[in-house]
């Protein structure tokens, strides 16, 4: 669906704004979202009651609403600003203007361009092998193998496709996909398709801030989402098949190694999501590190809404 950047005030936000007077004196938290989700993603709404129980006044706020006074909030928590991908420079510039942003603006700049995967790989983190095709560069599709093509700046699996390059039609569509991104001035990522996602799925490990830094909160599993080529049809969201999962020691070790490489250290993060898929040998491989606007899936783990509220309270206490 198209995202026009306009600001809409849904009933939840209207109610919260109308109650703002009674919340004076409480810490004020902006839960940063986009205009299409002006009342927040349903999963994020689950933190509102736990925050209220802790005496914290929270409300959804659209990131590109020019009427917002970000200095009026004690903390702004990035949640669902999922329309930024085609305006990444604008989004990064905006992040630098927000006085109390979680996660911090410099982390946003680093994490919204997936070239961070090359940095993590160089630091010894097992990552999915990636070839980068810059705008204007020629790219010749292989004659076999399944690959995933996507832009280095994206959200919600936008502009992402899966190609079986042994199929001549898929090769043509893959070349067209790269050309489409190149013509738009976007960097393309070419990655082998990890077939274990079809059987074992993808594991997301969620970490939330505690008094002594990030703590593992819960894990979920996601089923495969890519069924074929991307045909250039516009869309912001894709339906995910989500379930609870128990993280393995090996997965937790990869996550810890990944988080250790975050610029400035993981201690200042409010949340982190580490997405892993088994590689060809069965060992977990990092496919994405989400530090900017990840779904946290707090509705899929007992106590997770309270842990997120505690993480927000922890960050407020640090800034007091």
């Amino acid at each position: 669906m198209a995202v026009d950047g306009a600001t809409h005030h849904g009933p939840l936000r209207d109610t919260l704004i109308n109650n703002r007077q009674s919340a004076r004196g409480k810490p004020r938290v902006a839960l940063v979202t986009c205009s299409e989700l002006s009342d927040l993603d349903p999963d994020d709404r689950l933190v509102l009651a736990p925050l209220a129980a802790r005496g914290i006044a929270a409300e959804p706020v659209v990131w590109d609403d020019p009427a917002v006074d970000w200095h009026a909030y004690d903390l702004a928590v990035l949640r669902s600003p999922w329309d930024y991908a085609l305006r990444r420079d604008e989004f990064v510039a905006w992040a630098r203007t927000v006085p109390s942003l979680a996660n911090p603006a410099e982390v946003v700049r680093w994490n919204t361009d997936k070239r961070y995967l090359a940095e993590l790989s160089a630091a010894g983190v097992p990552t999915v092998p990636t070839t980068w095709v810059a705008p204007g560069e020629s790219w010749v599709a292989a004659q076999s193998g399944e690959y995933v093509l996507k832009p280095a700046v994206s959200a919600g699996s936008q502009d992402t496709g899966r190609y079986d390059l042994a199929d001549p039609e898929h090769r043509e569509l893959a070349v067209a996909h790269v050309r489409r991104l190149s013509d738009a001035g976007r960097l393309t990522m070419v990655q082998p398709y990890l077939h274990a996602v079809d059987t074992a799925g993808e594991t997301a490990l969620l970490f939330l801030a505690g008094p002594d830094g990030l703590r593992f909160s819960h894990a979920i599993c996601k089923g495969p989402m890519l069924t074929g080529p991307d045909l250039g049809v516009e869309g912001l969201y894709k339906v995910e098949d989500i379930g609870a999962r128990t993280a393995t020691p090996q997965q937790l070790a990869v996550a810890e190694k990944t988080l250790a490489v975050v610029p400035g250290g993981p201690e200042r993060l409010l949340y982190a999501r580490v997405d892993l898929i088994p590689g060809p040998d069965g060992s977990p491989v990092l496919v994405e590190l989400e530090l900017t606007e990840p779904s946290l899936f707090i509705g899929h783990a007992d106590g997770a809404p309270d842990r997120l509220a505690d993480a927000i309270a922890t960050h407020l206490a640090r800034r007091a």
Side-chain angles (χ1 to χ4, degrees):
M1 67 186 86
V3 177
D4 59 14
T7 300
H8 305 287
H9 299 296
L12 173 62
R13 185 176 176 192
D14 289 342
T15 299
L16 290 167
I17 291 174
N18 291 335
N19 291 338
R20 188 177 296 165
Q21 290 293 328
S22 64
R24 289 191 186 278
K26 296 180 180 180
R28 292 187 63 203
V29 172
L31 299 176
V32 182
T33 185
C34 62
S35 60
E36 286 197 13
L37 290 169
S38 59
D39 283 348
L40 297 175
D41 180 74
D43 190 69
D44 286 326
R45 291 180 205 147
L46 298 176
V47 78
L48 292 171
L51 286 173
R54 288 158 176 77
I56 298 170
E59 62 189 64
V61 185
V62 175
W63 74 271
D64 58 354
D65 182 348
V68 176
D69 176 11
W70 295 101
H71 290 80
Y73 295 96
D74 299 287
L75 184 66
V77 180
L78 288 165
R79 289 311 318 122
S80 48
W82 293 336
D83 58 356
Y84 77 85
L86 297 180
R87 297 185 287 158
R88 187 242 177 188
D89 290 346
E90 178 186 347
F91 183 68
V92 170
W94 163 82
R96 290 197 297 265
T97 71
V98 181
S100 300
L101 186 67
N103 285 328
E106 54 269 36
V107 171
V108 170
R109 180 189 59 79
W110 181 77
N111 189 239
T112 50
D113 186 327
K114 292 182 178 63
R115 281 179 288 188
Y116 69 75
L117 288 172
E119 186 174 332
L120 293 173
S121 178
V125 175
T127 62
V128 58
T130 304
T131 299
W132 310 89
V133 185
E137 284 186 349
S138 61
W139 178 72
V140 178
Q143 296 297 304
S144 63
E146 286 194 78
Y147 288 85
V148 173
L149 273 62
K150 58 186 174 183
V153 179
S154 66
S157 297
Q158 289 176 284
D159 303 305
T160 300
R162 171 185 173 183
Y163 301 88
D164 180 357
L165 297 183
D167 182 332
E169 181 180 0
H170 273 225
R171 286 202 302 275
E172 290 182 10
L173 289 171
V175 170
H177 188 164
V178 174
R179 184 183 305 116
R180 188 166 61 247
L181 294 177
S182 179
D183 289 347
R186 305 175 76 185
L187 179 69
T188 301
M189 305 168 64
V190 182
Q191 300 174 326
Y193 185 77
L194 299 178
H195 288 275
V197 73
D198 296 325
T199 53
E202 179 177 331
T203 300
L205 280 66
L206 287 305
F207 295 80
L208 299 171
D212 54 353
L214 279 183
R215 295 176 174 177
F216 174 69
S217 170
H218 58 286
I220 60 96
C221 61
K222 296 192 290 182
M225 294 178 62
L226 299 178
T227 57
D230 175 72
L231 301 177
V233 178
E234 189 175 4
L236 184 57
Y237 315 112
K238 292 185 179 180
V239 177
E240 295 180 307
D241 181 16
I242 306 297
R245 171 160 286 177
T246 300
T248 68
Q250 194 176 20
Q251 289 171 334
L252 290 167
V254 171
E256 182 179 354
K257 190 170 187 176
T258 300
L259 292 169
V261 186
V262 174
E267 297 80 12
R268 60 184 183 150
L269 301 178
L270 194 152
Y271 54 69
R273 196 181 93 194
V274 181
D275 294 344
L276 305 172
I277 295 176
D281 66 353
S283 299
V285 171
L286 178 74
V287 291
E288 196 158 352
L289 171 62
E290 295 259 22
L291 305 178
T292 303
E293 33 64 37
S295 294
L296 297 175
F297 306 114
I298 57 176
H300 292 269
D302 290 342
D306 284 292
R307 289 193 290 276
L308 178 56
D310 285 339
I312 292 171
T314 294
H315 269 248
L316 284 168
R318 291 176 184 172
R319 296 172 184 273

